């Protein structure tokens, strides 16, 4: 399967390495700083279990027209830049090429439609703990990478099955969802709450969940997001909050969210597409979100501008 992957950060580089090693025809569309390391060496993949190897990919380019139409495209850039990067990546798309976004957030499908028109966007989310050590070198911390994907209307299709099979062949757990909107909002409820509170407090999961006031703050933030999601069409209930708190409790104590790490390091973050998106979507539906609004306002002073 010819797969185009947009972005060579911690998620894009890992998926490119895994799919390439499984025998797929993988082409990376990257920014200039990634070009030379990837062309010279391929992807260096290291893991918490001690794996360290170089994995070649079929192609690396800064120009989508050089890569040409793909059977599927995976978008692994920052959430706020999906529309912009996809507009520059249109040569990757055939008439029915599915585009799978793996960002944290709930607006990627809208951004894909704005850039490429209707019919290409899938809904997607991934669970993976990996980060870019330097251009061309990705480190997978550990655990089983997983992807949930589906058509936005829940219809089972051949293209989602083909892409899921490709991911499975690469050792990635892949599940096709009949209600990807609700699945996206469930993850959104998790990352915006523990990530936002963790960034605000500058504390890891073990610390925020063992301190009763911050634990309650995380849960209350989740309840706000559940209310917004329900207003926006997701099938969320109080049971989803309880389940998501269980996921929060299952994290290793030293866990932190990517948004939290980016903000503390002074890098561009996904704040606008996480707590910022909660605030914007809540306003559209008249849902009060005082906790997420406070998190967003307080953290906005730390958010660095996105640099192309």
């Amino acid at each position: 399967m010819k797969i185009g992957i947009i972005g060579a950060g911690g998620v894009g580089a890992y998926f490119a390495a895994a799919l390439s090693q499984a025998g797929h025809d993988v082409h990376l569309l990257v920014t200039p700083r990634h070009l030379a390391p990837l062309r010279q060496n391929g992807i260096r993949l290291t893991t918490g279990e001690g794996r360290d190897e170089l994995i070649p990919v079929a192609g690396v380019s800064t120009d989508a027209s050089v890569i040409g139409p793909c059977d599927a495209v995976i978008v692994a850039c920052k959430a706020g830049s999906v529309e912009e990067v996809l507009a520059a990546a249109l040569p990757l798309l055939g008439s029915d090429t599915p585009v799978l976004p793996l960002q944290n957030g709930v607006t990627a499908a809208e951004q894909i439609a704005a850039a490429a028109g209707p019919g290409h966007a899938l809904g997607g989310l991934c669970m993976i703990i990996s980060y870019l050590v330097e251009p061309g070198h990705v480190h997978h911390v550990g655990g089983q990478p997983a992807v949930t994907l589906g058509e936005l209307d829940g219809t089972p299709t051949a293209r989602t099955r083909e892409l899921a099979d490709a991911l499975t062949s690469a050792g990635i757990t892949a599940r096709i969802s009949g209600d990807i909107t609700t699945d996206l909002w469930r993850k959104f409820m998790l990352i915006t709450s523990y990530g936002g509170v963790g960034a605000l407090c500058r504390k890891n999961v073990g610390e925020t969940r063992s301190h009763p006031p911050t634990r309650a703050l995380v849960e209350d933030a989740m309840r706000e997001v559940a209310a917004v999601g329900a207003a926006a069409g997701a099938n969320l209930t109080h049971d989803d909050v309880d389940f998501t708190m269980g996921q929060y409790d299952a994290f290793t104590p030293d866990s932190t969210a990517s948004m939290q790490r980016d903000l503390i390091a002074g890098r561009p973050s996904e704040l606008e597409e996480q707590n910022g998106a909660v605030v914007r979507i809540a306003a559209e539906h008249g849902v009060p979100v005082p906790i997420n609004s406070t998190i967003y306002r307080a953290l906005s002073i730390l958010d660095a501008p996105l640099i192309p």
Side-chain angles (χ1 to χ4, degrees), residues 103-119:
Q103 287 69 34
N104 291 320
V106 293
T107 67
E110 296 173 10
Q111 295 185 59
I112 292 167

Side-chain angles (χ1 to χ4, degrees), residues 202-212 214-215 248 253-254:
R202 300 203 170 197
K203 298 292 185 181
N204 62 32
V205 164
E207 293 168 300
T208 58
R209 73 185 176 206
S210 63
H211 183 59
T214 50
R215 180 183 179 84
Y248 171 56
D254 61 349

Side-chain angles (χ1 to χ4, degrees), residues 2-302:
K2 183 178 180 182
I3 301 173
I5 297 181
I6 303 174
V11 173
Y14 177 84
F15 278 83
L19 287 162
S20 293
Q21 199 160 50
H24 295 282
D25 183 21
V26 176
H27 296 260
L28 275 164
L29 182 65
V30 300
T31 54
R33 74 187 187 105
H34 296 275
L35 190 63
L38 289 168
R39 278 186 171 173
Q40 291 169 9
N41 306 311
I43 298 169
R44 181 184 176 193
L45 174 63
T46 58
T47 71
E49 291 79 31
R51 180 180 173 190
D52 189 346
E53 58 186 310
L54 291 174
I55 301 170
V57 295
V60 182
S61 181
T62 58
D63 184 350
S65 64
V66 172
I67 298 172
C70 298
D71 299 318
V73 171
I74 295 173
V75 184
C77 61
K78 290 285 188 183
S81 59
V82 171
E83 182 175 349
E84 180 183 355
V85 300
L86 196 62
L90 293 180
L92 303 183
L93 305 184
S95 61
D96 193 43
T97 300
V99 179
L100 175 65
L102 296 179
Q103 287 69 34
N104 291 320
V106 293
T107 67
E110 296 173 10
Q111 295 185 59
I112 292 167
H120 291 286
L122 302 178
L125 59 93
C126 71
M127 294 293 185
I128 185 172
I129 304 175
S130 60
Y131 61 87
L132 197 69
V133 179
E134 60 184 353
H137 178 189
V138 62
H139 182 75
H140 177 224
V141 176
Q144 175 62 36
V147 170
T148 300
L149 69 156
E151 298 286 355
L152 299 177
D153 64 1
T155 303
T157 59
R159 67 182 191 173
T160 53
R161 172 49 58 195
E162 185 178 7
L163 183 52
D165 288 346
L167 292 165
T168 300
S169 74
I172 298 159
T173 299
R175 181 178 74 87
I176 296 176
S177 171
D179 187 359
I180 192 65
T181 297
T182 299
D183 288 325
L184 286 167
W185 275 92
R186 284 195 187 103
K187 182 183 178 184
F188 194 50
M189 185 166 57
L190 175 65
I191 60 173
T192 55
S193 56
Y194 94 88
V197 172
L200 201 60
C201 301
R202 300 203 170 197
K203 298 292 185 181
N204 62 32
V205 164
E207 293 168 300
T208 58
R209 73 185 176 206
S210 63
H211 183 59
T214 50
R215 180 183 179 84
L217 192 62
V218 169
E219 184 170 358
D220 289 344
M222 285 185 187
R223 295 191 185 283
E224 286 187 356
V225 179
V228 176
N235 296 310
L236 295 173
T237 69
H238 292 301
D239 289 342
D240 290 293
V241 176
D242 295 338
F243 175 80
T244 306
M245 284 297 291
Q247 291 182 300
Y248 171 56
D249 285 332
F251 284 142
T252 57
D254 61 349
S255 296
T256 55
S258 59
M259 183 184 74
Q260 177 179 350
R261 296 191 296 273
D262 287 338
L263 287 168
I264 290 172
R267 297 188 295 261
S269 78
E270 293 183 334
L271 177 65
E272 288 293 335
E273 294 302 319
Q274 291 193 29
N275 302 91
V278 174
V279 173
R280 293 193 300 274
I281 298 170
E284 293 172 9
H285 295 279
V287 178
V289 286
I291 293 171
N292 280 278
S293 180
T294 299
I295 289 172
Y296 172 64
R297 290 177 178 182
L299 294 178
S300 64
I301 196 170
L302 302 177

